[in-house]
Amino acid sequence: MLPRELVSTVQPTAPARPAEGLADPRQQALQRALAPQLGKALHGEVLTRLTDGSFVVKVADIPTRMLLPPGARVGADVPLTLVSVQPRPTFQIGTGNPVFSEAGPPLPEGADPAKAPLLMREGATAASVARATALLQAAAGGAAALPGGAEARNTTLSRTGQAIGGVLAAAAKAESPQTAALGRAPVVGAPTGDAAGIAQGLQQAVGKSGLFYESHVAEWAQGGRALSDLNAEPQQQAAREGQRPQANDPATAQFINLQLATQEQAQVAWQGNLWPAQPMRLELGREVENEGQGDGGGTEERAWHSRLRLNFPGLGEVDARLTLHGGALQLRVSAGDDSAALLRRNQASLAGALDAAGTPLAAFEVRATGSQDAP
């Protein structure tokens, strides 16, 4: 669904190269320090400008390093809002335009800023590019929150930068944010306990949601995907009906923004019906943990996080959070009082079934939403 201006030709995918590590202890310490400020309106004091053009900004008495629009000056007060801490702390700068900047810890004494980039040197995600472009777009229009508007107004953007900035601006005009891909059909045709069938249905629903359409087009161009697979995705269905997505349409822009967020955060959200008249929401995410830091021989291990929310006629609302790490499953469930008691009584059966499937239950916690006491 990305506009034509953003995708000129489909080219072979280059091998991935290492990016700036997210597991840096200094970066993790900064994330922990800023986490309590998430969503809050803050004031940043510009302390110094580094040789690479980035700035050291003190936010809530915490020094951070970030990019600011042209015209920013040492000593200036910058209005900020912390919008995210993962995978990197991200601030909205000002209040009138969608201007974003990722933040990192200040450099160690004597470090060369040019050799320690804020953004990923290789493999930058589309959302990171979009944020940087949005920052430039705000500068081109004159960032009212900062001095030096004349310099900002003289900044020019490429057509691609203008297109990305237009998409982000259009997405901001939507009445309500789209936080998940929407399923058009139930995952399975009828209520069932067939776990394999449900898993296959979920894979199809998420895979054909349109979130990964552009990468699927690239696979098709390289002979790795059938055209019939593409025809099942909403972008192709709209094209067959003669509809051409308009990037400045809020609904289209919202979906593109969701695609960018999915790519950047390695998280997928899907909302639809598990079977007819049975709504559900599924969230999937992946993180990379570096074990054995400091010994030079650590190995990366992926932890997968899922959240499943359903409202059953008999059990009521059930909110399950799952973490799969090292081949073992950790499960935390919130449910009504009666349902929570039922789940606790059947813990042994659940553990036995998971063991038989080769996934041991490492932790099991049930919280009754009708009471204040955790189990």
Side-chain angles (χ1 to χ4, degrees), residues 3 8 18-19 22 35 47 50 70 72 84 90 96 100 124 137 149 166 201 262 275 285 288-289 293 322 359:
S8 57
L22 294 179
L47 299 180
L50 303 179
S84 174
T90 303
F100 298 90
Q137 185 198 35
T262 296
W275 49 71
V288 177
E289 296 182 0
Q293 291 181 3
L322 304 90
T359 306

Side-chain angles (χ1 to χ4, degrees), residues 294-306:
D295 59 10
T299 59
E300 290 186 350
E301 181 176 350
R302 294 179 176 180
W304 290 89
H305 301 275
S306 303

Side-chain angles (χ1 to χ4, degrees), residues 350-364:
L350 173 63
L354 288 171
D355 282 335
T359 306
L361 184 62
F364 182 74

Side-chain angles (χ1 to χ4, degrees), residues 21 140 184 198 243 245 251 276 325 358 371:
R184 298 187 176 187
I198 292 176
Q243 302 175 13
H325 190 200
S371 67

Side-chain angles (χ1 to χ4, degrees), residues 44 46 49 55 68-79 93-94 138-153 155:
V46 182
R49 179 188 176 98
F55 292 83
L68 296 176
R73 298 173 183 171
V74 174
D77 184 74
V78 184
I93 304 175
L146 297 172
E151 179 183 351
R153 284 192 295 271
T155 303

Side-chain angles (χ1 to χ4, degrees), residues 148-273:
E151 179 183 351
R153 284 192 295 271
N154 292 330
T155 303
T156 59
L157 292 176
S158 66
R159 290 183 60 190
T160 300
Q162 294 172 9
I164 295 176
V167 166
L168 296 177
K173 295 178 182 178
E175 293 183 359
S176 59
Q178 182 177 354
T179 60
L182 303 179
R184 298 187 176 187
V187 172
V188 293
T192 178
D194 179 12
I198 292 176
Q200 183 178 6
L202 282 173
Q203 182 180 10
Q204 293 289 322
V206 174
K208 296 179 180 179
S209 65
L211 283 174
F212 313 101
Y213 176 71
E214 284 71 30
S215 62
H216 292 171
V217 170
E219 292 174 2
W220 167 76
Q222 297 169 7
R225 183 175 291 270
L227 182 60
S228 58
D229 289 344
L230 292 180
N231 289 337
E233 301 196 37
Q235 289 91 334
Q236 283 288 92
Q237 294 172 2
R240 288 201 303 271
E241 296 171 0
Q243 302 175 13
R244 181 179 177 183
Q246 300 296 322
N248 59 356
D249 171 64
T252 301
Q254 281 271 71
F255 191 81
I256 295 173
N257 200 32
L258 183 62
Q259 287 180 296
L260 297 174
T262 296
Q263 181 179 3
E264 180 193 29
Q265 299 171 13
Q267 296 179 350
V268 175
W270 182 90
Q271 188 169 325
N273 283 336

